[in-house]
Amino acid sequence: MSPRITSLRSNAKLYVKVWIAAVAACLAILILAALVLPQSFRLTALSDVIQSLLLLSGTLSLIPHAVRSRGRLRLFWTLLAAGMGLWFAYQFVWIYYEVWLRTDVPDLCAGDMILFLHFVPLIAALALRPHAPQGEYAARLRRLDFALMVVWWLYLYDLIVIPWQYVLPNIPEYNNDLNSLYLIEKVAFLAILVLAWMGSKGGWKTLYANLFGASFTYAASSHIANWAIGRHLYYSGSLYDIPLAASMAWITIIGLQSRQRQPEAGVRSTSTSHGVWLARLGMIGAFSLPLFAAWVLLDETVPPPIRSFRVVLTLATAFLMSVMVFVRQRLLDRELLRLITHSRESFSNLKRLQVQITESEKLASMGQLLGGAAHELNNPITAMLGYSDLLQSTPLSPEQSELAGRIGQHARRTRSLVASLLSFAKQGPVAMAPIDLNTLLRTAVKLSQPQWQALKIEVRTQYPQELLLVRGDSNQLLQVCVQIINDALHVVGQHGSRVLTITAECANGTAIIHISDTALAEAKHQILGNDAPDLASPETLSSLGLSACQVILQQHNGRILWSQDRNIGTTIRVEIPVISREPEKSSAAGIPVMWQPQPFA
């Protein structure tokens, strides 16, 4: 570890310790003031300011997590910071009244809604279950689910609390309903925290346990403070505020300690339902509206103006949430269609891959079979060649000598075919390199010279002046050229021709090799064009050697075409894509040294 990194970590630890010490000092000052100072404006101002600083500190300690995190984890920390930010905003309302205006907070305070709503982002953060792995969930759906929860909690507050504040002001009913609803919200949050703690482990369990401790301390202290307010025992800065301030300081400790040890998702779950609890809570809120509507209509103890307000509010909220549910369903339908399409494509790709694997296994088995058969054929073919050469060296009549030569010719052709089968069976990764096709053809013609000389066939070649550079494996392409020339010599010898023409050209970015007998010499302009007549596709090639050549050419993005006609003759055409010329490389690039040809006529 470098000294710079060590120094940065040491500075960070020192920074955290100083921050924690400052929070502890604020809490100690508040405790000392509650014990020493009497009820006064100075005590009230000191208490409100310190509590605001503690809430601001807790909010700031959570923001870096949202900045550093990604995805669902970022949303989790953002919602926690938002909940603390709303709590800080509510505390600012107390500073405005008690410090700035120097008056008590009104009993019917509009800022109470901020305090009530600060738990909504916290509940939404826990509903995300960041400690549990889950699949992708569209961000737009998350936002709509969160919006449904916010609308539902606002509806509850407006349904139960607002009528006693604005429709028919009633302080006792207002305080009673507000405290009851707020207590239900706190209990729900604590219950969700317990469930999250039970379903997590490691760092997440520690985080949830600390959040539960801070939230329970706040819930208990606020309940005790409300009890004291009812008996006129509470005042700002009293001992009743100490547990409340401790819960605020606890949030800062959670944020700073989590920064030192970021919890990791260590729970593995095979259920996909864990990732949609936020959606479920939103839908439960939407479906609960008819129950509230029935309660409003059946409750005859409330005054008619409040009942009318609650009915209109329920209808308006039902319409708004219905629109939101409709939009959410449309987005969900699009997401499902996308997933179905993706699943179909994946299934098709899987089937295609399965077919390719099956074909590869068949080719591998065929290669092993061909390799074994080729090895078994090599010994008798070698014996046939030896006996044919020995027979030709003995005194024979011209007719017998010709027959012995044909035996040797067919034995050599068979040996070439066996070599092609062995090469096909042992095909490995293709080593691609720039190759001059003209040099490759000259080498192949030179290697085939013993065969066309024995058959007394004249081979005529015509190559272009410029280089025909192709990218491929020199050994495999040389094998293809030798195999094609040997097959062509065999066919030409059977048809009685005595001239074989080999030409090469470049047309439309493709190197074209033409191999034909004398019968096509008069139609040479057609041979050298792209519309050579009656050329067969690779699937119709009858020669096993040419089929092996076609496999090699396919690896080089090329192809081979074959044509036989009594009137025209035999034509073989090979096509390989050319590459741009590279002057720095030799014209014989990629040709093995032992096959470098010497010029010959």
Side-chain angles (χ1 to χ4, degrees), residues 72-309:
R72 188 163 44 116
L73 194 57
R74 167 177 284 184
L75 184 59
F76 170 77
W77 291 110
T78 301
L79 290 174
L80 286 184
M84 293 300 302
L86 288 175
W87 194 2
F88 170 73
Y90 175 73
Q91 186 63 32
F92 227 78
V93 174
W94 278 68
I95 292 179
Y96 173 74
Y97 281 105
E98 293 187 337
V99 178
W100 182 260
L101 299 180
R102 298 194 177 191
T103 182
D104 292 334
V105 178
D107 292 324
L108 301 177
C109 180
D112 291 337
M113 181 181 292
I114 301 176
L115 180 65
F116 175 79
L117 288 179
H118 94 274
F119 269 111
V120 177
L122 303 180
I123 295 175
L126 296 179
L128 289 174
R129 289 180 56 89
H131 60 274
Q134 67 181 59
E136 294 184 359
Y137 193 56
R140 289 178 295 180
L141 295 178
R142 288 197 189 102
R143 290 193 290 268
L144 274 175
D145 295 334
F146 177 68
L148 281 172
M149 289 188 61
V150 172
V151 170
W152 187 74
W153 283 106
L154 279 173
Y155 165 75
L156 283 182
Y157 187 86
D158 293 341
L159 181 73
I160 298 175
V161 179
I162 289 297
W164 305 114
Q165 184 176 6
Y166 294 107
V167 180
L168 289 177
N170 188 321
I171 295 177
E173 290 290 342
Y174 173 83
N175 290 330
N176 180 66
D177 288 351
L178 175 62
N179 293 332
S180 300
L181 185 60
Y182 193 42
L183 179 62
I184 293 174
E185 187 181 36
K186 288 182 288 187
V187 170
F189 179 68
L190 292 174
I192 296 175
L193 267 176
V194 171
L195 294 177
W197 178 84
M198 293 175 60
S200 61
K201 67 178 184 179
W204 283 109
K205 186 176 286 289
T206 303
L207 173 64
Y208 290 141
N210 280 283
L211 283 176
F212 179 84
S215 302
F216 182 80
T217 302
Y218 168 72
S221 62
S222 62
H223 184 72
I224 295 174
N226 289 333
W227 175 84
I229 291 174
R231 286 161 177 77
H232 305 287
L233 300 175
Y234 173 84
Y235 58 89
S236 296
S238 64
L239 291 175
Y240 294 103
D241 283 345
I242 302 304
L244 185 64
S247 65
M248 298 175 182
W250 202 336
I251 299 298
T252 300
I253 304 300
I254 293 174
L256 295 179
Q257 293 298 326
S258 297
R259 174 180 298 179
Q260 293 176 343
R261 184 185 58 200
Q262 183 74 9
E264 297 179 358
V267 178
R268 290 194 172 273
S269 173
T270 56
S271 175
T272 58
S273 62
H274 290 163
V276 295
W277 275 108
L278 183 60
R280 290 183 176 182
L281 291 176
M283 298 304 294
I284 290 174
F287 291 134
S288 66
L289 292 181
L291 299 178
F292 285 110
W295 170 69
V296 168
L297 293 175
L298 296 177
D299 188 8
E300 297 181 354
T301 60
V302 298
I306 293 181
R307 186 187 305 175
S308 300
F309 172 81

Side-chain angles (χ1 to χ4, degrees), residues 506-527:
C506 179
N508 298 325
T510 302
I512 303 175
I513 303 173
H514 294 277
I515 302 176
S516 59
D517 59 14
T518 326
L520 199 59
E522 296 179 357
K524 185 175 180 181
H525 63 282
Q526 293 182 354
I527 297 176

Side-chain angles (χ1 to χ4, degrees), residues 442 446 596-601:
R442 291 189 181 96
K446 188 67 175 179
Q596 295 294 329
Q598 300 296 327
F600 64 96

Side-chain angles (χ1 to χ4, degrees), residues 12-35:
K13 291 181 179 179
L14 179 61
Y15 172 73
V16 170
K17 291 180 180 179
V18 171
W19 194 338
I20 293 176
V23 170
C26 289
L27 189 59
I29 292 173
L30 189 61
I31 296 174
L32 183 63
L35 294 174

Side-chain angles (χ1 to χ4, degrees), residues 29-30 33-34 37 41-51 99 237:
I29 292 173
L30 189 61
L37 296 179
F41 171 75
R42 183 172 55 179
L43 178 62
T44 300
L46 180 64
S47 174
D48 289 344
V49 170
I50 288 180
Q51 290 186 39
V99 178

Side-chain angles (χ1 to χ4, degrees), residues 435-449 452 459-464 468 470 474 477-485 501-505 511-515 572 574 576 587-588 591 595 597-598 600:
I435 303 169
D436 180 19
L437 201 58
N438 294 336
T439 305
L440 196 74
L441 283 174
R442 291 189 181 96
T443 305
V445 171
K446 188 67 175 179
L447 292 175
S448 305
Q449 185 175 0
W452 50 265
V459 176
R460 298 175 182 176
T461 60
Q462 181 179 350
Y463 309 120
L468 286 182
V470 298
S474 58
L477 290 181
L478 183 63
Q479 173 193 335
V480 169
C481 293
V482 171
Q483 179 65 46
I484 293 175
I485 292 175
T501 304
I502 301 175
T503 62
E505 67 165 351
I512 303 175
I513 303 173
H514 294 277
I515 302 176
I572 301 175
V574 178
I576 306 176
S587 61
I591 303 297
W595 286 338
Q598 300 296 327
F600 64 96

